Amino acid sequence: MIPLRDSVRPKSFPFINYSLIILNIYVFYKQLQLFPDELEPFLQTYGVIPAKMAELSPWLLLSGQWEPFLPFVTSLFLHGSLLHIGGNMLYLWVFGDNVEDRLGHFRYLLFYLIAGIAGSLAHIYFNPDSSVPTIGASGAIAGVLGAYFLAFPKARVLALVPIAFFVTITEVRAVFFLFLWFILQVLNGLTALGVGRNAQMVAWWAHIGGFAAGAFFFKLFKKRK
């Protein structure tokens, strides 16, 4: 299912969510300007490489050496294709504004980054030997979905739904839409465990870890009434 819009309107202007979308698109535009021989070292530098990141010690952060951990953030703004960034930004557009409204602007930005990092850590845990750079905002956006799942279960999502050889537009409950999305990630993640770690095309466990982290940290970050 492909979401088109939801039924909840935010009470405040979601400028952080819009800024994240604009920044992702801008970075992807700059990526397109790189030559093939420039793109690979660029992704090796700013993407999350599980085999490399798994060797890092948290003590480096305590000693002020944060540069090796920078890919945990930079990878969230890189994408591999137009379809990749288009799908991610569509989900962020539909669901992110209301989560920002519920958390508050600064908390939402912090929440987004933490969920993305948690997604990367989950991917590293299940693929510690992979040398393939992991890029994309999917883990962070999965965190947004986890928060939306808890905050707006009764909301309705207008979505494109494929039925056999046809596609129809219908409204579905957000709780059903997101539950189905999460189950599909888990099924694909379990299937991917039997695939060569350097052959996986999608970081399914980043989605799963991001969603779980989003649901957990939403409870901590949401504004008190």
Side-chain angles (χ1 to χ4, degrees):
M1 294 187 291
I2 301 174
L4 300 177
R5 69 168 187 265
D6 67 332
S7 62
V8 183
R9 300 278 71 84
K11 298 177 182 178
S12 61
F13 184 75
F15 69 88
I16 294 295
N17 199 60
Y18 290 164
S19 297
L20 288 170
I21 293 173
I22 292 171
L23 181 58
N24 274 279
I25 294 174
Y26 174 76
V27 172
F28 183 68
Y29 168 74
K30 300 298 287 186
Q31 272 185 251
L32 294 178
Q33 296 180 322
L34 296 176
F35 292 105
D37 60 334
E38 297 174 319
L39 182 59
E40 182 59 28
F42 178 80
L43 297 180
Q44 290 284 337
T45 301
Y46 296 106
V48 168
I49 302 175
K52 179 180 177 181
M53 305 304 284
E55 297 176 351
L56 296 178
S57 170
W59 295 108
L60 292 175
L61 283 176
L62 298 178
S63 62
Q65 301 181 56
W66 52 267
E67 292 89 349
F69 298 88
L70 191 60
F72 279 115
V73 175
T74 57
S75 63
L76 302 179
F77 298 93
L78 306 177
H79 289 84
S81 68
L82 187 61
L83 181 62
H84 188 197
I85 188 172
N88 276 349
M89 294 305 102
L90 176 60
Y91 271 79
L92 189 56
W93 173 272
V94 172
F95 298 104
D97 55 351
N98 291 305
V99 176
E100 179 179 350
D101 189 53
R102 183 59 63 90
L103 293 178
H105 305 301
F106 175 75
R107 289 181 182 179
Y108 175 68
L109 177 59
L110 186 60
F111 167 87
Y112 181 91
L113 296 175
I114 290 176
I117 293 171
S120 295
L121 291 174
H123 176 68
I124 292 171
Y125 180 82
F126 286 96
N127 302 273
D129 301 322
S130 175
S131 59
V132 178
T134 304
I135 58 175
S138 302
I141 296 170
V144 172
L145 300 185
Y148 195 102
F149 180 81
L150 295 181
F152 307 100
K154 295 181 180 180
R156 302 191 72 83
V157 178
L158 187 68
L160 287 173
V161 181
I163 301 176
F165 298 102
F166 303 96
V167 176
T168 185
I169 298 178
T170 187
E171 278 192 346
V172 296
R173 281 286 181 91
V175 66
F176 171 74
F177 183 97
L178 296 175
F179 177 77
L180 179 60
W181 180 91
F182 182 71
I183 291 299
L184 289 175
Q185 310 312 303
V186 172
L187 292 176
N188 282 304
L190 293 174
T191 302
L193 291 178
V195 179
R197 288 169 177 165
N198 288 331
Q200 294 183 31
M201 299 300 293
V202 180
W204 300 110
W205 288 100
H207 301 178
I208 299 167
F211 189 96
F216 175 78
F217 283 103
F218 173 75
K219 289 289 189 180
L220 299 179
F221 279 37
K222 69 177 181 179
K223 294 184 290 186
R224 302 297 181 221
K225 294 184 179 179

